[in-house]
Amino acid sequence: TLEVTQAIKQDPVTYTALLPDLEEALKHEPDALYAIARAHLNADPALVDETWQNWLHRSANEALKVAIDEGDPVTILNWLTLISREPPQFKLGDILREGITAATPRAYDNAALAQGVFQVLSKRDLQGFKAALNDDALFGTLTSEMISGLMVLILKEHRDEQFPALVKRLSGRSGRMELLVSAFQRSGRPAGDILALSAVLTTLGELTPQQLLDLDLALIDARGWSAE
């Protein structure tokens, strides 16, 4: 396939002749066309080939549409995850955001897909992540275990700016303190980091001074916490 894309690049006549086949592939095998465009662009990451970048965008958009309209939640999540992990030079950010928006209604009754949507957003789109937290139907799909896992993921990857918004979303939820203790403990973050994050939560009014003390004591009890 790489030989074909190189030939197309070097010979406009070949490209013109193959256009009907490419359009047909876009309609019926967008995933295969995406793989071809992706292989071509990855062959020389420093070179911006707008022709194949356009095919990449169109095939990604079409493959996502097919997955969302006809596929199962696993297929949808696989496509969202793949696109979210592509290098910045592919410029797939808008397609990813549009795909997540289109996939969100499918996640309202599928907890695994909802969890995946939050994980992708937390890695790639801070504002989108915060907006998703305010989607009651989407956030309400998550189990306590999934929320705990999301908290741990954010802490482990040091995306601390997302953490207060997630904790705020848990206001009034039964077991919030247990979720906090578990997430801090499982994150492996040093005591200084946890103290700083706890102080931010207290400043924002998400923890009272008494709750902050209870949190510290619970962590000390849970893992022999020290200030080292």
Side-chain angles (χ1 to χ4, degrees):
T1 58
L2 188 56
E3 290 80 3
V4 172
T5 60
Q6 291 288 359
I8 289 173
K9 179 182 176 182
Q10 296 167 7
D11 184 1
V13 175
T14 301
Y15 178 66
T16 301
L18 286 175
L19 265 177
D21 293 329
L22 293 172
E23 291 289 352
E24 192 70 13
L26 182 65
K27 291 179 183 178
H28 301 292
E29 295 183 289
D31 52 342
L33 182 56
Y34 183 88
I36 292 171
R38 185 173 185 263
H40 177 79
L41 293 171
N42 276 328
D44 189 355
L47 178 66
V48 177
D49 188 328
E50 294 183 358
T51 296
W52 282 102
Q53 190 171 84
N54 181 55
W55 283 114
L56 184 82
H57 288 185
R58 293 179 66 192
S59 58
N61 189 61
E62 189 62 27
L64 263 177
K65 184 178 183 299
V66 171
I68 293 166
D69 291 346
E70 304 174 13
D72 55 50
V74 173
T75 302
I76 297 171
L77 185 54
N78 284 343
W79 270 104
L80 292 176
T81 301
L82 172 63
I83 292 173
S84 74
R85 291 175 176 172
E86 296 291 30
Q89 62 265 29
F90 283 7
K91 298 180 180 179
L92 289 167
D94 288 343
I95 291 173
L96 177 62
R97 283 187 286 272
E98 292 168 4
I100 288 174
T101 298
T104 294
R106 291 286 307 271
Y108 288 158
D109 58 1
N110 188 281
L113 180 55
Q115 180 186 32
V117 165
F118 275 105
Q119 289 173 341
V120 170
L121 285 171
S122 72
K123 290 175 178 288
R124 292 289 179 263
D125 186 354
L126 175 58
Q127 294 307 314
F129 176 77
K130 290 181 177 179
L133 289 176
N134 292 322
D135 186 332
D136 291 339
L138 184 64
F139 191 78
T141 306
L142 301 178
T143 65
S144 293
E145 183 179 358
M146 289 175 173
I147 293 171
S148 178
L150 182 59
M151 295 170 80
V152 172
L153 177 68
I154 289 171
L155 289 170
K156 281 187 173 181
E157 299 191 356
H158 293 258
R159 297 196 293 274
D160 294 350
E161 70 280 5
Q162 298 176 5
F163 197 69
L166 179 53
V167 174
K168 181 178 178 62
R169 186 62 176 82
L170 296 171
S171 295
R173 184 186 181 107
S174 174
R176 185 173 78 148
M177 186 61 70
E178 288 77 7
L179 284 171
L180 268 176
V181 172
S182 174
F184 279 140
Q185 180 186 357
R186 292 163 56 201
S187 72
R189 295 284 291 270
D193 286 3
I194 294 175
L195 285 170
L197 283 165
S198 300
V200 170
L201 294 175
T202 304
T203 300
L204 294 174
E206 296 304 323
L207 290 176
T208 66
Q210 182 59 53
Q211 287 174 326
L212 177 61
L213 177 60
D214 291 344
L215 176 64
D216 290 346
L217 292 174
L219 285 167
I220 290 171
D221 182 61
R223 64 174 188 176
W225 192 33
S226 73
E228 297 178 359

PDB file of all heavy atoms in Angstrom, residues 141-155:
ATOM      1  N   THR A 141     -23.963   7.281  34.410  1.00  0.00           N
ATOM      2  CA  THR A 141     -23.771   5.910  33.939  1.00  0.00           C
ATOM      3  C   THR A 141     -22.602   5.225  34.644  1.00  0.00           C
ATOM      4  O   THR A 141     -22.557   3.997  34.752  1.00  0.00           O
ATOM      5  CB  THR A 141     -23.515   5.917  32.409  1.00  0.00           C
ATOM      6  OG1 THR A 141     -24.570   6.628  31.762  1.00  0.00           O
ATOM      7  CG2 THR A 141     -23.464   4.511  31.848  1.00  0.00           C
ATOM      8  N   LEU A 142     -21.644   6.034  35.133  1.00  0.00           N
ATOM      9  CA  LEU A 142     -20.437   5.474  35.735  1.00  0.00           C
ATOM     10  C   LEU A 142     -20.719   4.842  37.087  1.00  0.00           C
ATOM     11  O   LEU A 142     -21.461   5.397  37.903  1.00  0.00           O
ATOM     12  CB  LEU A 142     -19.378   6.571  35.909  1.00  0.00           C
ATOM     13  CG  LEU A 142     -18.908   7.299  34.653  1.00  0.00           C
ATOM     14  CD1 LEU A 142     -17.887   8.373  35.038  1.00  0.00           C
ATOM     15  CD2 LEU A 142     -18.309   6.330  33.649  1.00  0.00           C
ATOM     16  N   THR A 143     -20.107   3.707  37.334  1.00  0.00           N
ATOM     17  CA  THR A 143     -20.170   3.085  38.648  1.00  0.00           C
ATOM     18  C   THR A 143     -19.143   3.749  39.568  1.00  0.00           C
ATOM     19  O   THR A 143     -18.230   4.446  39.105  1.00  0.00           O
ATOM     20  CB  THR A 143     -19.857   1.589  38.555  1.00  0.00           C
ATOM     21  OG1 THR A 143     -18.485   1.425  38.134  1.00  0.00           O
ATOM     22  CG2 THR A 143     -20.781   0.892  37.562  1.00  0.00           C
ATOM     23  N   SER A 144     -19.269   3.522  40.858  1.00  0.00           N
ATOM     24  CA  SER A 144     -18.297   4.065  41.808  1.00  0.00           C
ATOM     25  C   SER A 144     -16.896   3.556  41.511  1.00  0.00           C
ATOM     26  O   SER A 144     -15.909   4.294  41.627  1.00  0.00           O
ATOM     27  CB  SER A 144     -18.689   3.692  43.246  1.00  0.00           C
ATOM     28  OG  SER A 144     -19.879   4.348  43.627  1.00  0.00           O
ATOM     29  N   GLU A 145     -16.792   2.297  41.102  1.00  0.00           N
ATOM     30  CA  GLU A 145     -15.489   1.727  40.762  1.00  0.00           C
ATOM     31  C   GLU A 145     -14.876   2.452  39.565  1.00  0.00           C
ATOM     32  O   GLU A 145     -13.662   2.717  39.530  1.00  0.00           O
ATOM     33  CB  GLU A 145     -15.630   0.240  40.454  1.00  0.00           C
ATOM     34  CG  GLU A 145     -14.316  -0.455  40.150  1.00  0.00           C
ATOM     35  CD  GLU A 145     -14.484  -1.935  39.881  1.00  0.00           C
ATOM     36  OE1 GLU A 145     -15.608  -2.439  39.972  1.00  0.00           O
ATOM     37  OE2 GLU A 145     -13.469  -2.601  39.568  1.00  0.00           O
ATOM     38  N   MET A 146     -15.707   2.774  38.573  1.00  0.00           N
ATOM     39  CA  MET A 146     -15.220   3.492  37.395  1.00  0.00           C
ATOM     40  C   MET A 146     -14.776   4.905  37.755  1.00  0.00           C
ATOM     41  O   MET A 146     -13.754   5.397  37.250  1.00  0.00           O
ATOM     42  CB  MET A 146     -16.304   3.547  36.317  1.00  0.00           C
ATOM     43  CG  MET A 146     -16.572   2.219  35.648  1.00  0.00           C
ATOM     44  SD  MET A 146     -17.948   2.331  34.487  1.00  0.00           S
ATOM     45  CE  MET A 146     -17.877   0.703  33.730  1.00  0.00           C
ATOM     46  N   ILE A 147     -15.528   5.561  38.615  1.00  0.00           N
ATOM     47  CA  ILE A 147     -15.156   6.907  39.053  1.00  0.00           C
ATOM     48  C   ILE A 147     -13.833   6.865  39.800  1.00  0.00           C
ATOM     49  O   ILE A 147     -12.946   7.703  39.586  1.00  0.00           O
ATOM     50  CB  ILE A 147     -16.266   7.514  39.937  1.00  0.00           C
ATOM     51  CG1 ILE A 147     -17.522   7.750  39.101  1.00  0.00           C
ATOM     52  CG2 ILE A 147     -15.795   8.818  40.577  1.00  0.00           C
ATOM     53  CD1 ILE A 147     -18.738   8.143  39.920  1.00  0.00           C
ATOM     54  N   SER A 148     -13.684   5.886  40.668  1.00  0.00           N
ATOM     55  CA  SER A 148     -12.436   5.730  41.402  1.00  0.00           C
ATOM     56  C   SER A 148     -11.275   5.508  40.438  1.00  0.00           C
ATOM     57  O   SER A 148     -10.199   6.102  40.582  1.00  0.00           O
ATOM     58  CB  SER A 148     -12.539   4.559  42.378  1.00  0.00           C
ATOM     59  OG  SER A 148     -11.321   4.369  43.069  1.00  0.00           O
ATOM     60  N   GLY A 149     -11.491   4.674  39.419  1.00  0.00           N
ATOM     61  CA  GLY A 149     -10.448   4.421  38.432  1.00  0.00           C
ATOM     62  C   GLY A 149     -10.076   5.673  37.662  1.00  0.00           C
ATOM     63  O   GLY A 149      -8.900   5.906  37.360  1.00  0.00           O
ATOM     64  N   LEU A 150     -11.085   6.495  37.340  1.00  0.00           N
ATOM     65  CA  LEU A 150     -10.826   7.749  36.633  1.00  0.00           C
ATOM     66  C   LEU A 150     -10.027   8.710  37.505  1.00  0.00           C
ATOM     67  O   LEU A 150      -9.092   9.374  37.036  1.00  0.00           O
ATOM     68  CB  LEU A 150     -12.151   8.387  36.221  1.00  0.00           C
ATOM     69  CG  LEU A 150     -12.076   9.684  35.416  1.00  0.00           C
ATOM     70  CD1 LEU A 150     -11.311   9.480  34.113  1.00  0.00           C
ATOM     71  CD2 LEU A 150     -13.493  10.203  35.133  1.00  0.00           C
ATOM     72  N   MET A 151     -10.358   8.765  38.780  1.00  0.00           N
ATOM     73  CA  MET A 151      -9.607   9.612  39.716  1.00  0.00           C
ATOM     74  C   MET A 151      -8.147   9.165  39.796  1.00  0.00           C
ATOM     75  O   MET A 151      -7.227   9.992  39.764  1.00  0.00           O
ATOM     76  CB  MET A 151     -10.262   9.567  41.104  1.00  0.00           C
ATOM     77  CG  MET A 151     -11.661  10.153  41.151  1.00  0.00           C
ATOM     78  SD  MET A 151     -12.518   9.829  42.725  1.00  0.00           S
ATOM     79  CE  MET A 151     -11.799  11.095  43.763  1.00  0.00           C
ATOM     80  N   VAL A 152      -7.939   7.879  39.893  1.00  0.00           N
ATOM     81  CA  VAL A 152      -6.573   7.343  39.975  1.00  0.00           C
ATOM     82  C   VAL A 152      -5.802   7.655  38.705  1.00  0.00           C
ATOM     83  O   VAL A 152      -4.632   8.061  38.744  1.00  0.00           O
ATOM     84  CB  VAL A 152      -6.599   5.821  40.241  1.00  0.00           C
ATOM     85  CG1 VAL A 152      -5.193   5.234  40.133  1.00  0.00           C
ATOM     86  CG2 VAL A 152      -7.193   5.525  41.614  1.00  0.00           C
ATOM     87  N   LEU A 153      -6.443   7.476  37.551  1.00  0.00           N
ATOM     88  CA  LEU A 153      -5.794   7.757  36.268  1.00  0.00           C
ATOM     89  C   LEU A 153      -5.341   9.215  36.194  1.00  0.00           C
ATOM     90  O   LEU A 153      -4.202   9.508  35.803  1.00  0.00           O
ATOM     91  CB  LEU A 153      -6.761   7.456  35.124  1.00  0.00           C
ATOM     92  CG  LEU A 153      -6.256   7.776  33.712  1.00  0.00           C
ATOM     93  CD1 LEU A 153      -5.117   6.844  33.326  1.00  0.00           C
ATOM     94  CD2 LEU A 153      -7.400   7.660  32.701  1.00  0.00           C
ATOM     95  N   ILE A 154      -6.219  10.129  36.577  1.00  0.00           N
ATOM     96  CA  ILE A 154      -5.896  11.560  36.546  1.00  0.00           C
ATOM     97  C   ILE A 154      -4.731  11.862  37.476  1.00  0.00           C
ATOM     98  O   ILE A 154      -3.811  12.612  37.124  1.00  0.00           O
ATOM     99  CB  ILE A 154      -7.139  12.381  36.922  1.00  0.00           C
ATOM    100  CG1 ILE A 154      -8.167  12.317  35.787  1.00  0.00           C
ATOM    101  CG2 ILE A 154      -6.780  13.834  37.229  1.00  0.00           C
ATOM    102  CD1 ILE A 154      -9.510  12.916  36.145  1.00  0.00           C
ATOM    103  N   LEU A 155      -4.747  11.281  38.657  1.00  0.00           N
ATOM    104  CA  LEU A 155      -3.675  11.525  39.622  1.00  0.00           C
ATOM    105  C   LEU A 155      -2.352  10.918  39.157  1.00  0.00           C
ATOM    106  O   LEU A 155      -1.303  11.560  39.247  1.00  0.00           O
ATOM    107  CB  LEU A 155      -4.057  10.948  40.986  1.00  0.00           C
ATOM    108  CG  LEU A 155      -5.174  11.680  41.738  1.00  0.00           C
ATOM    109  CD1 LEU A 155      -5.616  10.867  42.952  1.00  0.00           C
ATOM    110  CD2 LEU A 155      -4.714  13.070  42.171  1.00  0.00           C
TER     111      LEU A 155
END
